[in-house]
Amino acid sequence: VSHERRYYISSLAPDAERLASAIRQHWGIENRVHGCLDVVFADDQMRARTAHAAHNLATLKRLTLNLLRLDPSQRKGSLKTRRLIANTSDEYRAELLGLK
């Protein structure tokens, strides 16, 4: 048996349900977006550090992630698999961009 404590700084009133909801929402975003970016694009390995490169690449990766999630053909496979298919298939890439 183990016990863990987490400390948070917040301007919210000390209401356990409201604080728990805010924390779950935060981790929901982490799991839904940042986790996917890391798995699909190896985002934690990105080493772009010049000028606005990191911000620009992050914007493009989020745009691509949203395009893959909104895939009109509902192709089976993980987001990573669909990204690799889009990388090699002009036809699939055109479908994602709404050009076909």
Side-chain angles (χ1 to χ4, degrees), residues 9 36 46:
I9 297 174
C36 285
M46 185 177 68

Side-chain angles (χ1 to χ4, degrees), residues 50-84:
T50 10
H52 300 287
H55 184 265
N56 292 339
L57 286 171
T59 301
L60 289 172
K61 288 176 184 181
R62 283 189 183 96
L63 173 73
T64 305
L65 183 64
N66 287 330
L67 285 172
L68 290 171
R69 284 185 171 156
L70 296 172
D71 180 4
S73 68
Q74 295 300 312
R75 182 182 295 258
K76 289 186 179 180
S78 68
L79 290 170
K80 189 173 185 176
T81 301
R82 288 187 272 162
R83 179 186 66 89
L84 294 172

Side-chain angles (χ1 to χ4, degrees), residues 28-65:
I29 292 169
E30 175 68 28
N31 294 331
R32 207 169 34 254
V33 177
H34 302 296
C36 285
L37 286 173
D38 189 35
V39 170
V40 177
F41 297 105
D43 206 39
D44 285 347
Q45 302 302 317
M46 185 177 68
R47 299 292 179 242
R49 306 223 192 286
T50 10
H52 300 287
H55 184 265
N56 292 339
L57 286 171
T59 301
L60 289 172
K61 288 176 184 181
R62 283 189 183 96
L63 173 73
T64 305
L65 183 64

